[in-house]
Amino acid sequence: MSKRRATVNIEVCVACGVCANQCPREAISIYRGCYAEVDTDKCVGCGICEKACPANAIEVRDIEDMEAENGK
Amino acid sequence: MANKKKNWYDYLWIWSIIYFALGFFNIMFAWLGLIDFVLPLIFALAGGNKWFCNNMCGRGQLFWILGRKAKCSRKKPAPRWISSKWFRYGFMIFFLTMFGTMLFQTYQVFAGASGLKQVVKLFWTFKVPWQWAYSGGTFPEWMVQFGYGFYSLMLTSTLIGLIVMVLYRERTWCTFCPMGTMTQGICQLKAKGDSE
Ligand code: SF4
Ligand code: SF4
Ligand code: SF4
């Protein structure tokens, strides 16, 4: 099974901090009151933050997919 | 969350209930709501962060407890437009305009141009008689008028928040809460200013 991680759409994020409060791994912090930032080393891709985010700003994605996209 | 250490500010949701209860009996307590107006701005202006929203907003906590713990939320993703920039800033401008109108009414009572109206106005439309919350005498009338106006604003925004909590996700209100929009806006300006 491939690894999954939370990703934040910072254009949509309202920096409310719900995700950071809910993350069981404390993998999320709010960068300077602007948007949520995920520490991908700590994140285990559980998706708790995704379901809590009121702005639909988080998506748990396959790391390989993300790398493939970025490598384009 | 369950095994995280609790801090005193994790219980501020209780404050947001007490606030409405106090205002029900004496409208002058509405003034205390100014704390929730000023604190987030201080955090944003002085600290460049949304620590208030992220950790100590009683209203946000209340929506979470009612929505998640008490299962009063459908937990459905809200439509995208609700958290879009134009709606967020539009709602903030609308809210501030209403706040300004309320201040003007307070001024009119202060200047003697109009009398004290002991009503709580919900959704900026429905007038609810609320005379029992003030029996006159102790405070200048303009202070009482401000109490009614501010309480109306707080109650209305909480009711809107509860409605979107039930319909969508627990803290959907936070995506378009004027305080949230304002503080994020300030933080973004500050962060931008520093990086240039
Ligand atoms: S819950 Fe969503 S909107 Fe709120 S800070 Fe996290 S990613 Fe941003
Ligand atoms: S997916 Fe799970 S571990 Fe990763 S940031 Fe979200 S809540 Fe935390
Ligand atoms: S967005 Fe508004 S309701 Fe939500 S945490 Fe911030 S101040 Fe409180």
Side-chain angles (χ1 to χ4, degrees):
Chain A
M1 213 179 84
S2 53
K3 284 182 181 169
R4 293 167 69 76
R5 294 290 179 266
T7 54
V8 180
N9 180 346
I10 64 170
E11 287 301 316
V12 184
C13 174
V14 300
C16 63
V18 177
C19 53
N21 287 339
Q22 294 310 309
C23 174
R25 313 282 304 210
E26 299 191 29
I28 308 185
S29 52
I30 306 301
Y31 176 75
R32 302 185 71 177
C34 298
Y35 51 81
E37 224 173 23
V38 180
D39 180 338
T40 42
D41 290 335
K42 286 189 193 160
C43 173
V44 289
C46 67
I48 289 176
C49 55
E50 185 180 18
K51 290 192 198 78
C53 175
N56 312 311
I58 301 186
E59 198 188 341
V60 176
R61 300 186 56 197
D62 211 289
I63 276 199
E64 280 161 23
D65 286 355
M66 280 153 62
E67 279 167 358
E69 262 172 48
N70 294 338
K72 252 186 248 166
Chain B
M1 183 74 189
N3 37 24
K4 262 189 215 165
K5 195 179 153 283
K6 288 272 191 185
N7 298 297
W8 64 270
Y9 48 78
D10 289 323
Y11 299 94
L12 285 169
W13 59 273
I14 300 170
W15 156 244
S16 52
I17 297 173
I18 293 176
Y19 175 78
F20 288 113
L22 289 175
F24 184 84
F25 294 107
N26 190 324
I27 204 68
M28 288 309 286
F29 283 111
W31 276 79
L32 291 176
L34 278 177
I35 300 171
D36 292 322
F37 246 68
V38 174
L39 262 189
L41 291 176
I42 292 178
F43 276 110
L45 287 167
N49 62 50
K50 286 212 355 158
W51 207 87
F52 181 89
C53 286
N54 300 164
N55 299 290
M56 63 180 301
C57 176
R59 176 179 303 199
Q61 290 169 6
L62 185 67
F63 292 149
W64 185 262
I65 283 170
L66 291 177
R68 181 65 63 105
K69 305 246 162 82
K71 298 189 171 65
C72 294
S73 171
R74 296 199 309 151
K75 299 202 227 170
K76 294 268 186 286
R80 285 252 174 227
W81 62 263
I82 287 195
S83 49
S84 68
K85 289 206 169 55
W86 69 264
F87 182 72
R88 293 180 65 207
Y89 280 94
F91 187 75
M92 185 184 82
I93 291 164
F94 169 76
F95 199 86
L96 288 177
T97 309
M98 289 303 163
F99 188 72
T101 309
M102 189 270 284
L103 287 182
F104 182 67
Q105 279 161 359
T106 304
Y107 171 75
Q108 281 186 314
V109 172
F110 173 77
S114 74
L116 174 64
K117 291 182 193 72
Q118 289 185 269
V119 292
V120 164
K121 216 171 181 185
L122 291 180
F123 303 102
W124 299 283
T125 317
F126 308 107
K127 288 181 184 157
V128 187
W130 210 272
Q131 316 83 312
W132 61 81
Y134 187 71
S135 45
T138 341
F139 295 96
E141 284 200 335
W142 68 269
M143 286 186 82
V144 183
Q145 187 64 63
F146 180 84
Y148 276 106
F150 202 65
Y151 193 80
S152 305
L153 219 61
M154 295 291 273
L155 196 55
T156 297
S157 49
T158 301
L159 288 174
I160 298 175
L162 285 172
I163 293 168
V164 291
M165 172 198 84
V166 172
L167 288 178
Y168 307 117
R169 282 199 174 142
E170 300 84 350
R171 277 179 61 173
T172 296
W173 164 257
C174 293
T175 64
F176 63 98
C177 164
M179 291 316 296
T181 308
M182 232 185 292
T183 49
Q184 189 191 25
I186 293 168
C187 291
Q188 283 169 339
L189 286 177
K190 280 189 85 121
K192 217 174 162 188
D194 289 352
S195 66
E196 269 165 11

